[in-house]
Amino acid sequence: MTAPIVSLADAEIEKLMGLHPKGYDLSLDRIRRLLDVLGNPQTRLPPVIHVAGTNGKGSATAFCRALLEAQGLSVHVHTSPHLVRWHERYRIGVKGGAGRLVADELFADALRRVADANGGKPITVFEILTAVTFILFSEQPADVAIIEVGLGGRFDATNVIEKPAVSIIQPISLDHQAYLGDRVELIAAEKAGIMKRGAPVVIGHQEFDGAKDVLISTAERLGCPLTVFSQDFLGYEEFGRLVYQDEFGLMDLPLPRLPGRHQIGNAATAIRAVKAAGFPVTDQIAEKAMLSVEWPGRLQRLTDGALVDHAPVGAEIWLDGGHNPGAGEVIAEAMAAMEEKQARPLHLIVGMINTKDPIGYFRAFTDIAHDVYTVPILGSDVGLDPVALAQSAAEAGLKALPMSSVGEALEAIRIRSADSAPPRIMIGGSLYLAGNVLAQNGSIPT
């Protein structure tokens, strides 16, 4: 997923990667030590919307950003991971307009300052990048900051924020079991760790009652003003419109620009969270946000580019970085909804890393996918071998064929589809793969 070194910031990160290899070592001790040396910039942020969850964190972040920018506010945004360039993790707010990805010189300077302050002591790269978030967001003026959790919550490096304007907990399912636990209740307890005593909490749609119960009990124990999807607010589709409802009334809005029925719940959660954080959301603001929201690599349609040229003429190509069984279910539901509107044979192109559950992911597509082409992930040392991944797809009941690249898979689909209707192609299984595809296709996020 990392792009070639083409900037000052890339060069600085390459040095850090040599000193502090990638990996997970969940603790707040190192980041607190480093931030103390830096003068605790996390205490000088604008109001913070803190976002955790297994799936839908990025979408909720995108909706919150759209809602806030629709009212002319400047919004800092931290997300992870990036798709193509490290700079995507930091969007700097601009008053009265859309924020911009961090300037290279500003990013590189913050990296150097953080690295110097750390003094070569043991630390993870994510912790350094999180300290950079606090440096950038505390020194550049903005009305609000949206900060996405990296992994978990309780021991995530972002969880040094003492009193967020609101904490959002998005849908929880099984992922990162080696670090967070092998039951949704255990994972929910880790995600709930971002809740702070007395600070508002908004809980998004939860498929598992056990996870929701843990989240609610934690919020109640901490005395957090709490609102819960389906109990205190709703979002649903009616007559091709998004209907949002809470104790303050009802909004009749256009469907979100982001495709997929799951985005209706994400949009509703964001509307409630922005309100809970103390910012107004009128019908006009919400309508503007639904039509302007964007989030690359999440059911993103690819219509042109170097990779698209390998596909069958007229093919419908979608890209999504969802990578666990829960994500597979919402993507499969989106594909099924598209099939209802316009029937096309569905082909999957999938690459995954070795910490995921490929069989659980593939099972979501058993009844709707024509076949699967498994591919490697470029630039990753944790990608699953396409042959092994194809075997997992076969175990889930899908016809699968390993390929050497996404381009080769698209060529194979083109040949196979020569005498049939233009197909629908979904490329997914990993944010790393989504980054590969966007880079190769020339579709760099901005």
Side-chain angles (χ1 to χ4, degrees), residues 321-345:
H323 46 257
N324 54 47
E329 288 173 7
V330 297
I331 298 165
E333 181 186 20
M335 294 294 109
M338 293 178 194
E339 175 70 9
E340 289 176 8
K341 293 179 180 179
Q342 183 181 21
R344 290 173 179 247

Side-chain angles (χ1 to χ4, degrees), residues 171-173 204-212 326 329-330:
I172 290 171
S173 61
H205 170 72
Q206 301 296 326
E207 180 182 352
F208 300 101
D209 289 340
K212 183 164 71 172
E329 288 173 7
V330 297

Side-chain angles (χ1 to χ4, degrees), residues 423-443:
R424 179 171 290 120
I425 302 169
M426 208 293 292
I427 307 173
S430 171
L431 284 168
Y432 292 86
L433 180 66
N436 286 174
V437 169
L438 291 175
Q440 293 171 55
N441 199 52
S443 309

Side-chain angles (χ1 to χ4, degrees), residues 177-190:
Q177 292 97 309
Y179 301 97
L180 305 179
D182 59 1
R183 293 187 293 115
V184 292
E185 292 84 357
L186 296 175
I187 295 174
E190 293 297 321

Side-chain angles (χ1 to χ4, degrees), residues 349-420:
I349 300 176
V350 176
M352 301 188 80
I353 63 173
N354 59 19
T355 59
K356 304 304 174 183
D357 174 10
I359 296 176
Y361 177 88
F362 284 126
R363 279 182 181 141
F365 298 94
T366 301
D367 295 327
I368 62 171
H370 185 273
D371 51 22
V372 181
Y373 297 84
T374 56
V375 296
I377 297 173
L378 303 178
S380 172
D381 54 3
V382 294
L384 280 170
D385 179 83
V387 175
L389 191 56
Q391 179 60 38
S392 294
E395 289 181 37
L398 291 163
K399 182 169 62 176
L401 189 64
M403 291 282 164
S404 63
S405 68
V406 172
E408 183 184 37
L410 288 168
E411 290 276 7
I413 296 171
R414 183 172 60 81
I415 293 169
R416 180 164 291 186
S417 304
D419 298 323
S420 59

Side-chain angles (χ1 to χ4, degrees), residues 5-344:
I5 297 175
V6 294
S7 71
L8 294 171
D10 288 333
E12 292 297 324
I13 291 174
E14 189 75 8
K15 294 177 191 174
L16 292 170
M17 297 290 277
L19 292 171
H20 309 288
K22 287 191 296 184
Y24 302 118
D25 182 9
L26 300 180
S27 167
L28 294 179
D29 295 338
R30 294 178 299 272
I31 186 70
R32 283 181 170 148
R33 168 189 56 75
L34 174 56
L35 291 172
D36 190 54
V37 175
L38 290 165
N40 289 305
Q42 78 280 9
T43 64
R44 300 189 297 277
L45 300 176
V48 172
I49 295 175
H50 202 190
V51 187
T54 306
N55 295 308
K57 296 193 299 291
S59 294
T61 295
F63 279 114
C64 286
R65 174 194 162 203
L67 288 161
L68 293 161
E69 289 184 344
Q71 51 193 290
L73 299 177
S74 55
V75 187
H76 292 330
V77 183
H78 164 268
T79 56
S80 67
H82 60 283
L83 294 174
V84 181
R85 301 186 68 213
W86 296 91
H87 301 63
E88 297 166 35
R89 295 175 180 237
Y90 311 95
R91 187 170 292 274
I92 305 300
V94 175
K95 195 72 173 179
R100 303 188 184 99
L101 297 187
V102 63
D104 187 48
E105 297 82 359
L106 187 65
F107 186 14
D109 176 68
L111 282 163
R112 291 189 201 103
R113 290 162 58 194
V114 170
D116 289 346
N118 186 60
K121 294 183 176 65
I123 198 164
T124 69
V125 172
F126 183 75
E127 287 163 347
I128 287 179
L129 293 171
T130 301
V132 166
T133 301
F134 297 137
I135 288 286
L136 292 172
F137 290 5
S138 66
E139 294 180 353
Q140 308 300 313
D143 297 307
V144 61
I146 307 171
I147 296 179
E148 182 185 323
V149 167
L151 173 63
R154 183 165 61 111
F155 290 120
D156 185 77
T158 66
N159 198 30
V160 293
I161 299 163
E162 293 183 359
K163 188 144 187 177
V166 65
S167 299
I168 301 174
I169 311 291
Q170 280 286 80
I172 290 171
S173 61
L174 292 175
D175 199 7
H176 298 292
Q177 292 97 309
Y179 301 97
L180 305 179
D182 59 1
R183 293 187 293 115
V184 292
E185 292 84 357
L186 296 175
I187 295 174
E190 293 297 321
K191 308 286 186 183
I194 72 165
M195 298 180 189
K196 301 299 188 298
R197 183 168 296 279
V201 171
V202 173
I203 297 176
H205 170 72
Q206 301 296 326
E207 180 182 352
F208 300 101
D209 289 340
K212 183 164 71 172
D213 291 344
V214 169
L215 297 175
I216 291 173
S217 64
T218 303
E220 290 175 342
R221 176 171 53 82
L222 294 172
C224 299
L226 174 65
T227 49
V228 182
F229 184 88
S230 80
Q231 293 180 197
D232 305 301
F233 66 96
L234 288 169
Y236 54 93
E237 182 179 352
E238 187 172 75
F239 303 119
R241 303 276 290 176
L242 187 164
V243 178
Y244 171 84
Q245 187 172 8
D246 62 17
E247 70 271 30
F248 302 110
L250 181 146
M251 293 182 184
D252 179 17
L253 304 169
L255 290 176
R257 183 181 176 193
L258 301 182
R261 290 174 185 159
H262 60 291
Q263 295 296 2
I264 292 173
N266 292 334
T269 299
I271 291 171
R272 193 65 187 85
V274 169
K275 288 184 176 186
F279 298 95
V281 180
T282 64
D283 289 50
Q284 293 76 19
I285 287 169
E287 179 167 345
K288 184 177 180 181
M290 295 307 108
L291 297 175
S292 64
V293 64
E294 58 181 5
W295 191 224
R298 282 74 173 182
L299 278 182
Q300 176 181 356
R301 187 167 180 181
L302 304 179
T303 57
D304 54 41
L307 272 181
V308 173
D309 291 342
H310 292 274
V313 174
E316 192 178 288
I317 304 175
W318 297 88
L319 176 69
D320 194 285
H323 46 257
N324 54 47
E329 288 173 7
V330 297
I331 298 165
E333 181 186 20
M335 294 294 109
M338 293 178 194
E339 175 70 9
E340 289 176 8
K341 293 179 180 179
Q342 183 181 21
R344 290 173 179 247

